[in-house]
Amino acid sequence: MEINGKKVVVIGGASGMGRASAELLAERGAQVAIFDREGSDGKQVAEGIGGAFYPVDVTDFKGTEETLQTAVDKLGGLHVTVTTAGGGIAKRTLTKSGPHDLESFQSVIDLNLIATFNISRLAAAHMAKNEPEDDERGVIINTASIAAFEGQIGQVAYTAAKAAIAGMCLTMARDLGSMGIRVLAIAPSLFLTGLTSMVPDEMANQLVKDAAFPKRMGRPIEYAKLVAAIVENPMLNGQCLRLDAGQRFAPK
């Protein structure tokens, strides 16, 4: 799919990998709407790329549906979604104080998995209305994590959510293949976003010491470049792509 002229929604587009994706796709000629939390830098980022900002809490599932409809109406269609919103907690399945509470586990699942599926299902419905371009109508790109495959101690909730996002790719791609809609996920390692961007160099070096090459944290633009490559290459479909410099997480 050609990026130029396409209608794109980036969820979590106010910062980090989402922001880099929004900026790169806009630079290549896409019309981009940014979804992120109220109080984020979403408005400034959107203004910088000639797009629109929509404040949204992705765990407000009905509100997200309504906001997406508004954005698609304004864009005049939807060809690509990139979902980077998410987060985790550090809790073990069992500690001396007792078992992992269900409430925080559920909140991580809601934020990462349920919100991602909600956006994907709604995006697919919008994309299915598009006129096909070389038989293709849309691309859904979600964000997993290498924690989906090597979750560390204390990441049980996050791992469950991200593994599910990775696992949905092929089934959802099969569901949507007859409509010309592709579905992929990207599984990043440690990237310079949010709190990790403030980690001291010495600590950062320890965190990435097991990477093959390069032995550093990923840069948001490197995630964005993979997003662009996915959009442009129709043979990429139904899989979760690791973006990790050959790193495999140790237990802790």
Side-chain angles (χ1 to χ4, degrees):
M1 177 177 286
E2 292 290 331
I3 294 173
N4 186 46
K6 296 304 182 294
K7 322 293 187 179
V8 178
V9 172
V10 179
I11 298 90
S15 63
M17 297 180 291
R19 176 174 182 166
S21 300
E23 291 174 339
L24 182 60
L25 294 174
E27 182 183 312
R28 296 194 182 180
Q31 291 179 254
V32 182
I34 289 176
F35 285 24
D36 215 308
R37 294 167 298 177
E38 186 77 65
S40 69
D41 291 333
K43 185 176 181 181
Q44 297 94 303
V45 175
E47 288 173 350
I49 61 174
F53 170 60
Y54 297 87
V56 66
D57 174 0
V58 295
T59 61
D60 175 3
F61 306 126
K62 185 63 176 176
T64 299
E65 180 173 359
E66 293 167 353
T67 302
L68 184 61
Q69 182 67 61
T70 300
V72 172
D73 288 345
K74 184 171 181 180
L75 284 168
L78 180 65
H79 298 96
V80 179
T81 56
V82 182
T83 301
T84 65
I89 56 175
K91 289 187 179 181
R92 299 190 184 208
T93 305
L94 179 65
T95 66
K96 292 178 180 179
S97 62
H100 195 306
D101 64 290
L102 286 178
E103 291 78 12
S104 62
F105 186 94
Q106 181 70 59
S107 68
V108 172
I109 297 298
D110 284 346
L111 173 60
N112 294 277
L113 174 58
I114 308 303
T116 294
F117 177 72
N118 186 43
I119 292 160
S120 298
R121 71 181 184 93
L122 297 170
H126 289 294
M127 292 173 181
K129 301 172 186 176
N130 293 334
E131 286 298 318
E133 176 186 302
D134 194 20
D135 297 325
E136 187 171 15
R137 287 186 171 88
V139 185
I140 295 169
I141 304 172
N142 295 322
T143 304
S145 164
I146 64 170
F149 312 105
E150 304 103 30
Q152 296 182 301
I153 290 171
Q155 286 188 325
V156 64
Y158 187 69
T159 291
K162 294 301 188 179
I165 290 171
M168 286 194 301
C169 289
L170 181 57
T171 302
M172 195 180 290
R174 287 171 167 171
D175 283 349
L176 301 175
S178 62
M179 302 168 207
I181 299 169
R182 295 187 285 122
V183 183
L184 293 102
I186 299 173
S189 56
L190 294 167
F191 269 61
L192 290 167
T193 62
L195 292 175
T196 57
S197 64
M198 296 180 280
V199 170
D201 288 344
E202 185 177 341
M203 183 182 295
N205 291 337
Q206 279 297 111
L207 292 172
V208 299
K209 63 183 176 60
D210 295 326
F213 177 84
K215 290 183 181 294
R216 60 167 172 79
M217 291 194 186
R219 299 163 183 157
I221 187 60
E222 291 164 337
Y223 178 98
K225 287 179 178 178
L226 182 52
V227 165
I230 287 171
V231 174
E232 292 179 330
N233 193 330
M235 288 301 285
L236 287 172
N237 195 16
Q239 61 185 308
C240 181
L241 303 173
R242 295 184 68 126
L243 189 64
D244 62 11
Q247 183 171 9
R248 298 295 181 268
F249 275 159
K252 61 180 178 179

